[in-house]
Amino acid sequence: MKIAVFVKLVPDSAATFTVDNGQPNWGDAPLVINPWDEYAVEAALALTEEHGGEVVAVSLGGENAKEALKHALAMGSSEAVLVSDDALAGLDAAGAARVMAAVVQKIGDVDLAVFGKSSIDSDHGMSSAMVARVLGWPSLSLVAAVQSAGDTITVERSMEEGRQVVESPLPATMSVVKDFGEPRYPSFMGIRKASKAEIPLWSLSDLGIEVPTAAVTRSEIMAPPKREVTNEIIKGGSPEEIAATLADKIIAEGVL
């Protein structure tokens, strides 16, 4: 199998988001591989270990996006590709999907394009389905396990109601949830190999596509108004007295 797995560099989940002069600011939080994408890499590696093949890690972004690719290489991916172009700035999800679909086509003979469930910065969770739409492939979402793979693939989808077993022809796209299994830690040798890896850079012209027009733009970014919250501990001689005082305060505040 040849699998393309898409990874992204995002601010650490502990980062505090603010808006400064109309621009988003993550402070000095470190950038890390999107946590959901680690599960996608794990799924891709597990499939190639069972069925043979190779995993190509792909990221869209600037030079720093190589860090996410190096993490995927350290985990065991065979190759990595960075798609970087000034024209990608301000691209919306639909435009990014067209770029990612072009990457899959340029790699060639891809059986499966794998994504994490979502990214923790934008969190729309639609990349897998959007890329499938552009390519004309089936889309398998919320995959928690792969039962079999060959000319077709059978997966278990994790849903609120339980598990759903779905079979699909290949090629297809797939988004992976954490139920798939704990991602492996990069090995020492993997880290050394990744640090020396030459990661090719593809531009939009290399992909043979024009700059996708963003259908969605942000007219303004603003921080929500701060709420002043105060706490008061109600005391009384008995639970009944405390409850009566609490009820009076709730009524006075207009909550009830």
Side-chain angles (χ1 to χ4, degrees):
M1 299 182 73
K2 180 182 282 189
I3 300 176
V5 58
F6 288 84
V7 298
K8 185 178 182 181
L9 201 67
V10 298
D12 187 272
S13 58
T16 300
F17 176 79
T18 60
V19 177
D20 296 330
N21 299 319
Q23 295 298 319
N25 186 351
W26 296 96
D28 57 357
L31 297 176
V32 298
I33 187 174
N34 176 47
W36 287 107
D37 294 345
E38 290 186 281
Y39 294 97
V41 176
E42 176 61 35
L45 294 173
L47 281 168
T48 54
E49 287 169 354
E50 182 177 354
H51 302 285
E54 60 180 320
V55 176
V56 182
V58 182
S59 188
L60 278 59
E63 184 72 16
N64 61 359
K66 286 184 177 180
E67 295 305 313
L69 293 171
K70 288 180 179 180
H71 188 98
L73 287 170
M75 289 179 67
S77 298
S78 312
E79 302 176 46
V81 174
L82 173 63
V83 180
S84 186
D85 197 303
D86 292 341
L88 294 176
L91 200 62
D92 62 4
R98 291 194 288 274
V99 174
M100 289 187 282
V103 173
V104 170
Q105 292 172 324
K106 183 172 175 61
I107 292 172
D109 299 322
V110 172
D111 298 295
L112 201 59
V114 184
F115 301 79
K117 172 180 172 288
S118 62
S119 60
I120 63 173
D121 52 356
S122 58
D123 203 32
H124 59 73
M126 293 299 295
S127 292
S128 176
M130 286 180 165
V131 171
R133 174 69 175 177
V134 176
L135 293 172
W137 291 2
S139 174
L140 303 167
S141 61
L142 307 177
V143 173
V146 176
Q147 293 185 347
S148 62
D151 294 333
T152 62
I153 187 170
T154 303
V155 304
E156 291 182 17
R157 301 180 64 234
S158 179
M159 307 172 66
E160 290 185 5
E161 300 83 2
R163 294 290 181 97
Q164 181 186 59
V165 177
V166 178
E167 183 180 275
S168 167
L170 293 176
T173 70
M174 182 173 84
S175 67
V176 181
V177 297
K178 65 181 181 180
D179 292 347
F180 195 95
E182 192 69 21
R184 67 195 67 188
Y185 287 104
S187 66
F188 176 72
M189 292 302 296
I191 293 171
R192 288 191 61 187
K193 179 182 176 181
S195 67
K196 299 176 182 178
E198 293 292 332
I199 298 176
L201 188 152
W202 292 352
S203 64
L204 293 184
S205 61
D206 293 324
L207 297 176
I209 61 174
E210 298 180 353
V211 182
T213 302
V216 178
T217 58
R218 296 184 178 94
S219 58
E220 185 179 4
I221 299 177
M222 66 185 74
K226 292 184 178 180
R227 296 177 58 190
E228 295 296 332
V229 178
T230 59
N231 296 319
E232 180 183 356
I233 298 177
I234 299 174
K235 298 180 180 180
S238 66
E240 290 77 11
E241 182 181 344
I242 293 173
T245 303
L246 175 61
D248 291 341
K249 288 184 176 293
I250 289 176
I251 293 171
E253 291 291 335
V255 178
L256 295 177

